[in-house]
Each structure stands twice: as C-alpha cells, then as structure tokens.
Amino acid sequence: MIVRCTQIISPATGEVVPDHPSIRVGAEYPVLEVLTTANRVQLRIPELLDTMEHRDSPGLWDASMFTVVSSRMPSCWVAELEDGRLTLAPREWQRTGFWEDYFDVVPAAVDEYDRLRAEILAEL
C-alpha cells in the first residue's frame, strides 16, 4: 500500500501542524503496517533517522493524514486480532516486544525488519 500525505497531525499534540521533520505534505510513502483500535487507525511509515548509522525509524502516523495512492497489499501481511486491536503486518512484527527489540537494536529484530521491509517494498 502506498499513501500520500495530505496533512500533518502532530504525534505529540494531535493537532494539525504545517510541517514535521519526519514527513512532508504531498510526499508518497509505503505503508509497512496498519494498526487499528475502536477509535484510531495508524499507519507505520518508514522514516530515516538523522544519525551516523542512518537506521530506518518507522513511525506510527494517524491514517487521516493520508490518501491511498495504491491499495496493493503486501503478501507477507497477515491479520491479527488481539485485545480489540487489529493489525495488518508481517507475522514476525506482531509478536509482543518486536518493536521494542527493533528500537533497542537487537540484531535478530533488526535483521527481521530489514528483510521484511525489503520484501514489502519490492511488492509495491
């Protein structure tokens, strides 16, 4: 799935803002994951950290910021329903603690992310 940013909603305040260092209005982004709850839909979008290692920092953004450009779903996505939350993502990313491990730079999680991110991007 590919989306185009139409507005920016601050993750910190929930208010519409004119700009943000991690995302631009008008830019198109691949969606790595969709998370939904009863009152919120978020999209995980890859971002680039401005550090020496340039490791991808995939952030969660409010789905109302985007319009769908391509609705093609990656074949590695599976649906997971747990505690009232529906997730569309690779099964490996849905395990409890995966994102904490990734951001803590646990090698197995980073390798899983890199492999599946490449697979998702290749299909879009």
Side-chain angles (χ1 to χ4, degrees), residues 48-70:
L48 191 62
L49 282 177
D50 189 18
T51 65
M52 292 299 291
E53 58 216 26
H54 297 288
R55 196 167 61 83
D56 189 26
S57 178
L60 288 172
W61 296 93
D62 191 304
S64 66
M65 292 173 41
F66 304 95
T67 186
V68 175
V69 173
S70 169

Side-chain angles (χ1 to χ4, degrees), residues 34-38 78-88 91 93-97:
V34 178
L35 298 111
T36 65
T37 61
V78 296
E80 173 80 20
L81 182 60
E82 185 174 323
D83 298 327
R85 181 172 135 166
L86 176 68
T87 305
L88 299 173
R91 183 168 308 284
W93 294 359
Q94 295 178 4
R95 74 168 171 78
T96 302

